């Protein structure tokens, strides 16, 4: 039986993490890298945190110089966050660490093995998405 706690990949990432990388904060950085300037409420939803926790996390990232916050151009009441140059450097480091981890995990796999994994993962994902879609479809639709 597996011990309780974070999955092995997350434990390894934590051990090799950048000095600012707390997994909960890294998720904000990665989402901001993918999406660009994003509002606090949207980020909270993306990382599955409530608004106060997201706001505190962004404040910490801002203190570390990884994120800059500003008023949204479309609505001055909304605060957006975006990566600073240092934040982009940290995300690049995170991505490089993930690439190295995957290279080691797939060492010894053939091209066929990798293709089979990709095919089966897509099949699984499509099946799960079909279940979600069916559940969200109103019965009278």
């Amino acid at each position: 039986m597996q011990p309780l706690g974070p999955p092995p990949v997350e434990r390894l990432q934590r051990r090799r993490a950048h000095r600012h990388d707390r997994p909960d904060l890294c998720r904000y950085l990665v989402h901001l890298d993918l999406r660009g300037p994003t509002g606090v409420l949207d980020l909270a939803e993306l990382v599955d945190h409530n608004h106060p926790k997201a706001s505190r996390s962004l404040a910490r990232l801002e203190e570390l110089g990884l994120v800059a916050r500003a008023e949204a151009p479309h609505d001055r009441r909304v605060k957006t966050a975006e990566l600073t140059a240092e934040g982009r450097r940290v995300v690049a480091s995170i991505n490089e660490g993930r690439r190295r981890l995957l290279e080691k995990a797939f060492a010894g796999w053939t091209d066929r093995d990798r293709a089979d994994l990709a095919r089966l993962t897509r099949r699984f994902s499509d099946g799960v998405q079909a279940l979600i879609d069916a559940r969200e479809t109103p019965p009278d639709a």
Side-chain angles (χ1 to χ4, degrees), residues 1 21 39 63 76 87 127 138:
M1 182 178 227
D21 290 351
E63 288 172 11
R76 300 177 104 192

Side-chain angles (χ1 to χ4, degrees), residues 10-27:
E10 188 176 317
R11 286 194 307 266
L12 184 59
Q13 285 175 332
R14 284 181 183 177
R15 274 186 263 153
R16 295 183 174 179
H18 181 276
R19 72 181 192 278
H20 300 307
D21 290 351
R22 290 191 354 228
D24 59 323
L25 294 180
C26 289
R27 293 168 57 203

Side-chain angles (χ1 to χ4, degrees), residues 5 9 12 18 22 30 40 42 45 47 49 51-53 56 70 84 87 91 93 99 102 106 117 120 124 127 130 133:
V9 171
L12 184 59
H18 181 276
R22 290 191 354 228
V30 171
V40 176
D42 290 335
E45 185 176 327
V47 299
H49 288 166
H51 181 264
K53 179 165 177 62
R56 286 190 307 273
T84 61
V91 171
S93 175
R99 273 190 285 284
L102 287 173
F106 288 118
L117 176 63
L120 292 170
F124 173 75
D133 292 345

Side-chain angles (χ1 to χ4, degrees), residues 103-119:
E103 286 171 7
K104 288 179 182 179
F106 288 118
W109 286 46
T110 65
D111 289 343
R112 169 80 184 224
D113 291 339
R114 290 176 186 220
D116 285 346
L117 176 63
R119 179 182 55 79

